[in-house]
């Protein structure tokens, strides 16, 4: 399965962190390596196990009719909703500010790619039709 983040923006540039000079303090190196990624090209994911209502209407997957247990993906100003059956859609009703307000713990597990994150979190279709909570 390939996640296609559809936007009207120009393609994202990869996030590049500034390099530390060699021979720096190991504690500074550890602090640098554990900083959360930031910048315009950063993609963040948030598991949302409860029901999600937008303007008073419950979100429902059009493929499997699920009504809870979502993965929200934020890239730039857009937010996508992904269902356990791997159905995904851009949700214009959720802004980046709304996404930020849902994050209780800003630091989390990092994955090399969105696809690997979807697989690790069980949103690749392997758990289609199952609520995991």
């Amino acid at each position: 399965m390939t996640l296609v983040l559809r936007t009207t923006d120009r393609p994202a540039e990869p996030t590049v962190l500034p390099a530390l000079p060699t021979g720096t303090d190991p504690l500074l190196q550890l602090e640098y390596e554990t900083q959360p990624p930031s910048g315009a090209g950063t993609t963040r994911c948030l598991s949302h196990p409860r029901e999600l209502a937008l303007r008073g209407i419950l979100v429902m997957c059009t493929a499997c009719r699920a009504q809870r247990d979502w993965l929200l993906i934020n890239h730039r100003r857009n937010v996508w909703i992904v269902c356990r059956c791997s159905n995904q859609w851009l949700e214009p009703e959720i802004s980046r500010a709304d996404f930020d307000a849902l994050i209780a713990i800003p630091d989390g597990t990092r994955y090399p790619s969105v696809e690997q994150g979807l697989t690790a979190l069980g949103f690749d279709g392997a758990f289609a039709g199952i609520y995991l909570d």
Side-chain angles (χ1 to χ4, degrees):
M1 186 210 67
T2 302
L3 179 70
V4 179
L5 300 178
R6 297 173 195 92
T7 66
T8 56
D9 295 339
R10 58 185 163 76
E13 299 166 6
T15 304
V16 178
L17 296 173
L20 281 177
T22 57
T24 58
D25 182 10
L27 291 177
L28 291 176
Q29 182 69 28
L30 178 63
E31 179 183 359
Y32 168 79
E33 290 173 355
T34 57
Q35 289 178 349
S38 62
T42 302
T43 301
R44 303 178 298 163
C45 298
L46 172 69
S47 180
H48 189 78
R50 298 176 307 279
E51 293 177 337
L52 185 61
L54 302 175
R55 295 189 180 198
I57 301 171
L58 286 178
V59 172
M60 183 185 303
C61 177
T62 57
C64 71
R65 317 282 289 163
Q67 295 181 352
R68 60 185 173 100
D69 203 11
W70 309 110
L71 181 69
L72 305 177
I73 300 176
N74 169 237
H75 181 73
R76 294 184 180 250
R77 64 180 178 180
N78 299 304
V79 176
W80 285 262
I81 298 177
V82 182
C83 180
R84 289 271 177 205
C85 73
S86 77
N87 186 26
Q88 60 180 319
W89 63 93
L90 175 63
E91 186 51 69
E93 294 292 324
I94 303 175
S95 68
R96 183 181 177 126
D98 296 331
F99 184 89
D100 290 340
L102 290 171
I103 296 177
I105 302 171
D107 296 327
T109 305
R110 295 187 187 102
Y111 300 99
S113 70
V114 174
E115 289 80 15
Q116 289 177 349
L118 291 174
T119 301
L121 296 170
F123 285 91
D124 61 346
F127 296 106
I130 300 171
Y131 287 128
L132 301 176
D133 55 318

